[in-house]
Amino acid sequence: MLGMLVLSACGTRLFTPTATATPIVPTSTPTNAPTPTYGWNSQGWNLVWSDEFNGSTIDPKNWTFDLGGNGWGNSEFETYTNLPENTRVENGMLIIEARQDQSIGNGYTSARLKTQGLQEFQYGRIEERMKLPFGQGIWPAFWMLGNNGGWLQSGEIDVTLCRG
């Protein structure tokens, strides 16, 4: 049984990111949000859950944050936060932004969102619309984990594989 969806924009020690200063205030995003095309809206499919990020905040009935900076088993540099500098909703899009921030942890911050304890699905079709960054030292991901045991017992399904 699939237990949760996890969204992450993360760094890794496999590549050393080039340090560049970033502003503390969130950057603006384009106002032309993509028009959704719903594959579920075809014969034989029933929509059971979605989040189109239509509001101005992240819906706490759908998403919670993984917080911390312990490397998450991948020797990651960043500390995951729930700060608006790292994650927010703008123009119908969820923005997850990694930043250089020397005041927290190892000098980088980002965000991980998950549905653990909030949404759970056994069968179905998962769709996402994502614009993923590409570059040295980043590892954006979208994956599903089971809910019957830990990662090793339940496994993982990578929905979007990272370029690299």
Side-chain angles (χ1 to χ4, degrees):
M1 185 175 285
L2 299 176
M4 68 172 154
L5 305 174
V6 182
L7 296 173
S8 175
C10 53
T12 178
R13 287 183 198 247
L14 295 175
F15 302 99
T16 304
T18 303
T20 57
T22 56
I24 297 300
V25 295
T27 58
S28 62
T29 56
T31 56
N32 54 342
T35 303
T37 55
Y38 300 106
W40 59 264
N41 196 13
S42 58
Q43 189 172 3
W45 292 97
N46 297 308
L47 178 64
V48 295
W49 181 79
S50 72
D51 193 337
E52 301 300 326
F53 303 103
N54 292 328
S56 59
T57 61
I58 295 167
D59 187 345
K61 293 180 295 215
N62 289 333
W63 304 101
T64 186
F65 289 88
D66 254 348
L67 301 175
N70 60 5
W72 300 98
N74 296 314
S75 301
E76 298 170 14
F77 282 150
E78 76 283 35
T79 299
Y80 292 111
T81 78
N82 59 358
L83 298 172
E85 292 84 12
N86 294 118
T87 185
R88 60 198 177 277
V89 174
E90 288 182 6
N91 305 313
M93 293 180 277
L94 171 66
I95 309 298
I96 299 175
E97 189 170 326
R99 297 179 153 271
Q100 184 177 10
D101 185 343
Q102 298 303 321
S103 69
I104 299 175
N106 290 322
Y108 297 93
T109 60
S110 188
R112 286 171 54 132
L113 283 82
K114 60 184 183 176
T115 63
Q116 184 177 24
L118 301 172
Q119 306 294 334
E120 183 178 307
F121 314 97
Q122 185 167 1
Y123 301 108
R125 174 179 164 164
I126 303 293
E127 293 185 4
E128 87 278 353
R129 291 182 326 273
M130 302 173 77
K131 180 177 179 182
L132 300 175
F134 180 77
Q136 185 175 353
I138 59 173
W139 184 8
F142 178 74
W143 70 94
M144 297 181 289
L145 301 173
N147 73 342
N148 50 348
W151 171 80
L152 186 58
Q153 294 81 19
S154 297
E156 171 182 315
I157 298 173
D158 288 322
V159 177
T160 302
L161 299 176
C162 301
R163 296 178 271 174

